[in-house]
Amino acid sequence: MKCALDILVDNLGFESCTELYEKFMPPIFAGELIYHYTSSSGLQSILKENPDKLILRASRFDCLNDKMEGTFARKIFINNCNEMYHKGEIDKDLHSILVNTSPTKTTLFYNVGGRRKPIRINREQFLTSLSQDGDSLAMWKYYSKGTQYDGRNIGLLTSEITNSLKEQFWEKEASFSIFPVVYREEEQKELITGFINLIKEAKKYNQDDKLVRALVSEQLAQWALVFKSQHFSHEEEVRIVIDVGRTTKNGVLQGSPIPIKYRDSNGYIIPFIELNLSKNSLESVTLAPIGCEKEMKDIQKTILEDMLCRYGYSAKGYNSGIDMRY
């Protein structure tokens, strides 16, 4: 038997809530390769921490270094709601619902432990940041030390990432998506306006504010993960987004379906999870720009490829194409 929310979604022309939410998100990343920038020591951890897997870390969303993470999308959303209200495109009642609804902290998990019935529980969200640009000077600068660049860049096959994570999260209270970040304000506004217009239709079908708030709350949580300021557009970021179920009993945190680990960074404790990727995921490793002669660059590239081979990878090694003197 369908619940009231499912009936409302049907009336709006969607087969599921998931299909509705995805309509107002950027398309799932479909590129063949994405790139992860890291330090030289970080590369060693990624390649060697598990002899059978390539390990990426996904940090908890509310512990990322950008202070605007999680709040930027709602700020843009409220500004858009105010603009539509002042233009007479939404009424006072709907405006109040929209601007006073917060992102949800729960989500639905499907096919858990062989059960067909979906379950809704609290979640923690984790992110791994990658880039569409495989040789970006702006990204290399994040790993500069004085006049030297200490960065490494790993090229990963999107299809292998997807297959590996499906295997890791199979029948667990965990799910993932791979989205490109939306930087352009015009694109953000277009997605928001389209969604609000749909919510206006939802109010016609059903006057239950709780159902409308449920749709808005989940969409806000989705946008929080992929909307960023245009000032970061040089990163051309793609995000692996992971939802992990968080259950409590009598106020006591229960075991997680995916092990949660912790690291220290500049005085902060950062929760993270490990993403276990097939070694076939690694397509390439690129060395940061270095200010030396071509002969030495070629030697370093050869050493890099020897290292990858000894670690059990068939990936190719490259030098950055950016020619730096210092």
Side-chain angles (χ1 to χ4, degrees), residues 24 31 33-34 42-43 65 101 112 126 144 161 222 246 271 317 325:
F24 301 100
L33 280 168
I34 39 181
L43 176 67
N65 57 8
T101 299
V112 177
F126 296 82
S144 62
I161 294 174
Q222 298 280 338
R246 179 185 176 93
R325 178 173 284 118

PDB file of all heavy atoms in Angstrom, residues 24 31 33-34 42-43 65 101 112 126 144 161 222 246 271 317 325:
ATOM      1  N   PHE A  24      16.235  17.575 -10.209  1.00  0.00           N
ATOM      2  CA  PHE A  24      16.694  18.921  -9.860  1.00  0.00           C
ATOM      3  C   PHE A  24      18.125  18.904  -9.307  1.00  0.00           C
ATOM      4  O   PHE A  24      18.529  19.797  -8.577  1.00  0.00           O
ATOM      5  CB  PHE A  24      15.713  19.551  -8.866  1.00  0.00           C
ATOM      6  CG  PHE A  24      14.320  19.637  -9.413  1.00  0.00           C
ATOM      7  CD1 PHE A  24      13.362  18.707  -9.050  1.00  0.00           C
ATOM      8  CD2 PHE A  24      13.986  20.613 -10.345  1.00  0.00           C
ATOM      9  CE1 PHE A  24      12.080  18.766  -9.587  1.00  0.00           C
ATOM     10  CE2 PHE A  24      12.715  20.674 -10.883  1.00  0.00           C
ATOM     11  CZ  PHE A  24      11.757  19.745 -10.504  1.00  0.00           C
ATOM     12  N   GLY A  31      31.702  11.057 -17.051  1.00  0.00           N
ATOM     13  CA  GLY A  31      33.021  11.052 -17.668  1.00  0.00           C
ATOM     14  C   GLY A  31      33.765   9.752 -17.416  1.00  0.00           C
ATOM     15  O   GLY A  31      33.533   9.068 -16.417  1.00  0.00           O
ATOM     16  N   LEU A  33      37.065   9.386 -16.859  1.00  0.00           N
ATOM     17  CA  LEU A  33      38.124   9.533 -15.863  1.00  0.00           C
ATOM     18  C   LEU A  33      37.847  10.714 -14.947  1.00  0.00           C
ATOM     19  O   LEU A  33      37.331  11.748 -15.379  1.00  0.00           O
ATOM     20  CB  LEU A  33      39.474   9.760 -16.549  1.00  0.00           C
ATOM     21  CG  LEU A  33      40.208   8.544 -17.114  1.00  0.00           C
ATOM     22  CD1 LEU A  33      41.355   8.997 -18.001  1.00  0.00           C
ATOM     23  CD2 LEU A  33      40.731   7.662 -15.990  1.00  0.00           C
ATOM     24  N   ILE A  34      38.187  10.557 -13.681  1.00  0.00           N
ATOM     25  CA  ILE A  34      38.223  11.677 -12.741  1.00  0.00           C
ATOM     26  C   ILE A  34      39.532  11.595 -11.962  1.00  0.00           C
ATOM     27  O   ILE A  34      40.139  10.533 -11.862  1.00  0.00           O
ATOM     28  CB  ILE A  34      37.016  11.694 -11.772  1.00  0.00           C
ATOM     29  CG1 ILE A  34      36.647  10.292 -11.317  1.00  0.00           C
ATOM     30  CG2 ILE A  34      35.858  12.434 -12.345  1.00  0.00           C
ATOM     31  CD1 ILE A  34      35.450  10.275 -10.382  1.00  0.00           C
ATOM     32  N   GLY A  42      50.357  11.178   0.886  1.00  0.00           N
ATOM     33  CA  GLY A  42      48.993  10.702   0.702  1.00  0.00           C
ATOM     34  C   GLY A  42      48.905   9.629  -0.369  1.00  0.00           C
ATOM     35  O   GLY A  42      48.137   8.665  -0.252  1.00  0.00           O
ATOM     36  N   LEU A  43      49.694   9.784  -1.436  1.00  0.00           N
ATOM     37  CA  LEU A  43      49.702   8.783  -2.498  1.00  0.00           C
ATOM     38  C   LEU A  43      50.138   7.425  -1.959  1.00  0.00           C
ATOM     39  O   LEU A  43      49.550   6.391  -2.305  1.00  0.00           O
ATOM     40  CB  LEU A  43      50.633   9.220  -3.626  1.00  0.00           C
ATOM     41  CG  LEU A  43      50.799   8.204  -4.760  1.00  0.00           C
ATOM     42  CD1 LEU A  43      49.492   8.025  -5.521  1.00  0.00           C
ATOM     43  CD2 LEU A  43      51.917   8.631  -5.704  1.00  0.00           C
ATOM     44  N   ASN A  65      36.933  21.600   5.046  1.00  0.00           N
ATOM     45  CA  ASN A  65      37.632  22.838   5.398  1.00  0.00           C
ATOM     46  C   ASN A  65      36.922  24.102   4.923  1.00  0.00           C
ATOM     47  O   ASN A  65      37.233  25.201   5.383  1.00  0.00           O
ATOM     48  CB  ASN A  65      39.079  22.815   4.872  1.00  0.00           C
ATOM     49  CG  ASN A  65      39.151  22.605   3.367  1.00  0.00           C
ATOM     50  OD1 ASN A  65      38.137  22.630   2.682  1.00  0.00           O
ATOM     51  ND2 ASN A  65      40.357  22.385   2.871  1.00  0.00           N
ATOM     52  N   THR A 101      12.038  25.604   6.270  1.00  0.00           N
ATOM     53  CA  THR A 101      12.300  24.168   6.258  1.00  0.00           C
ATOM     54  C   THR A 101      13.800  23.932   6.182  1.00  0.00           C
ATOM     55  O   THR A 101      14.498  24.559   5.385  1.00  0.00           O
ATOM     56  CB  THR A 101      11.604  23.502   5.051  1.00  0.00           C
ATOM     57  OG1 THR A 101      10.199  23.711   5.152  1.00  0.00           O
ATOM     58  CG2 THR A 101      11.886  22.014   5.029  1.00  0.00           C
ATOM     59  N   VAL A 112      18.349  -3.662   1.927  1.00  0.00           N
ATOM     60  CA  VAL A 112      19.294  -3.864   3.030  1.00  0.00           C
ATOM     61  C   VAL A 112      19.130  -5.272   3.577  1.00  0.00           C
ATOM     62  O   VAL A 112      18.029  -5.657   3.990  1.00  0.00           O
ATOM     63  CB  VAL A 112      19.056  -2.819   4.143  1.00  0.00           C
ATOM     64  CG1 VAL A 112      19.996  -3.085   5.312  1.00  0.00           C
ATOM     65  CG2 VAL A 112      19.263  -1.417   3.600  1.00  0.00           C
ATOM     66  N   PHE A 126      29.369  11.526   3.840  1.00  0.00           N
ATOM     67  CA  PHE A 126      30.808  11.610   3.640  1.00  0.00           C
ATOM     68  C   PHE A 126      31.100  11.951   2.172  1.00  0.00           C
ATOM     69  O   PHE A 126      30.341  11.581   1.277  1.00  0.00           O
ATOM     70  CB  PHE A 126      31.478  10.283   4.007  1.00  0.00           C
ATOM     71  CG  PHE A 126      31.335   9.909   5.457  1.00  0.00           C
ATOM     72  CD1 PHE A 126      30.180   9.307   5.931  1.00  0.00           C
ATOM     73  CD2 PHE A 126      32.354  10.191   6.354  1.00  0.00           C
ATOM     74  CE1 PHE A 126      30.045   8.976   7.269  1.00  0.00           C
ATOM     75  CE2 PHE A 126      32.236   9.865   7.696  1.00  0.00           C
ATOM     76  CZ  PHE A 126      31.070   9.257   8.162  1.00  0.00           C
ATOM     77  N   SER A 144      51.783  23.152  -2.744  1.00  0.00           N
ATOM     78  CA  SER A 144      53.066  23.835  -2.878  1.00  0.00           C
ATOM     79  C   SER A 144      53.731  23.994  -1.518  1.00  0.00           C
ATOM     80  O   SER A 144      53.071  24.236  -0.508  1.00  0.00           O
ATOM     81  CB  SER A 144      52.874  25.209  -3.531  1.00  0.00           C
ATOM     82  OG  SER A 144      52.046  26.027  -2.729  1.00  0.00           O
ATOM     83  N   ILE A 161      35.206   2.661 -10.195  1.00  0.00           N
ATOM     84  CA  ILE A 161      34.781   3.201  -8.901  1.00  0.00           C
ATOM     85  C   ILE A 161      33.369   2.739  -8.584  1.00  0.00           C
ATOM     86  O   ILE A 161      33.067   2.255  -7.482  1.00  0.00           O
ATOM     87  CB  ILE A 161      34.834   4.741  -8.907  1.00  0.00           C
ATOM     88  CG1 ILE A 161      36.271   5.241  -9.039  1.00  0.00           C
ATOM     89  CG2 ILE A 161      34.194   5.315  -7.629  1.00  0.00           C
ATOM     90  CD1 ILE A 161      36.380   6.748  -9.206  1.00  0.00           C
ATOM     91  N   GLN A 222      20.110  17.441  -0.557  1.00  0.00           N
ATOM     92  CA  GLN A 222      20.813  17.045  -1.783  1.00  0.00           C
ATOM     93  C   GLN A 222      21.629  18.207  -2.341  1.00  0.00           C
ATOM     94  O   GLN A 222      22.791  18.049  -2.717  1.00  0.00           O
ATOM     95  CB  GLN A 222      19.797  16.574  -2.827  1.00  0.00           C
ATOM     96  CG  GLN A 222      18.984  15.350  -2.436  1.00  0.00           C
ATOM     97  CD  GLN A 222      19.746  14.056  -2.636  1.00  0.00           C
ATOM     98  OE1 GLN A 222      20.687  14.000  -3.411  1.00  0.00           O
ATOM     99  NE2 GLN A 222      19.349  13.026  -1.933  1.00  0.00           N
ATOM    100  N   ARG A 246      23.004   5.833  10.474  1.00  0.00           N
ATOM    101  CA  ARG A 246      23.445   6.110  11.848  1.00  0.00           C
ATOM    102  C   ARG A 246      22.291   5.745  12.775  1.00  0.00           C
ATOM    103  O   ARG A 246      21.256   6.422  12.795  1.00  0.00           O
ATOM    104  CB  ARG A 246      23.807   7.583  11.998  1.00  0.00           C
ATOM    105  CG  ARG A 246      24.259   7.992  13.399  1.00  0.00           C
ATOM    106  CD  ARG A 246      24.478   9.498  13.481  1.00  0.00           C
ATOM    107  NE  ARG A 246      24.816   9.932  14.825  1.00  0.00           N
ATOM    108  CZ  ARG A 246      26.050  10.065  15.287  1.00  0.00           C
ATOM    109  NH1 ARG A 246      27.070   9.813  14.490  1.00  0.00           N
ATOM    110  NH2 ARG A 246      26.282  10.467  16.516  1.00  0.00           N
ATOM    111  N   PRO A 271      36.043  12.686  11.278  1.00  0.00           N
ATOM    112  CA  PRO A 271      35.581  11.324  10.980  1.00  0.00           C
ATOM    113  C   PRO A 271      35.705  11.046   9.476  1.00  0.00           C
ATOM    114  O   PRO A 271      35.475  11.936   8.658  1.00  0.00           O
ATOM    115  CB  PRO A 271      34.106  11.328  11.410  1.00  0.00           C
ATOM    116  CG  PRO A 271      33.907  12.597  12.182  1.00  0.00           C
ATOM    117  CD  PRO A 271      34.926  13.566  11.667  1.00  0.00           C
ATOM    118  N   GLY A 317      52.543   6.231 -15.610  1.00  0.00           N
ATOM    119  CA  GLY A 317      53.061   7.387 -14.899  1.00  0.00           C
ATOM    120  C   GLY A 317      53.293   8.549 -15.846  1.00  0.00           C
ATOM    121  O   GLY A 317      53.684   8.341 -17.008  1.00  0.00           O
ATOM    122  N   ARG A 325      59.613  26.878 -13.879  1.00  0.00           N
ATOM    123  CA  ARG A 325      61.025  27.065 -13.557  1.00  0.00           C
ATOM    124  C   ARG A 325      61.228  26.935 -12.042  1.00  0.00           C
ATOM    125  O   ARG A 325      62.198  26.376 -11.567  1.00  0.00           O
ATOM    126  CB  ARG A 325      61.513  28.437 -14.048  1.00  0.00           C
ATOM    127  CG  ARG A 325      62.989  28.710 -13.685  1.00  0.00           C
ATOM    128  CD  ARG A 325      63.511  30.004 -14.317  1.00  0.00           C
ATOM    129  NE  ARG A 325      63.774  29.808 -15.753  1.00  0.00           N
ATOM    130  CZ  ARG A 325      63.141  30.468 -16.714  1.00  0.00           C
ATOM    131  NH1 ARG A 325      62.197  31.340 -16.412  1.00  0.00           N
ATOM    132  NH2 ARG A 325      63.435  30.249 -17.978  1.00  0.00           N
TER     133      ARG A 325
END
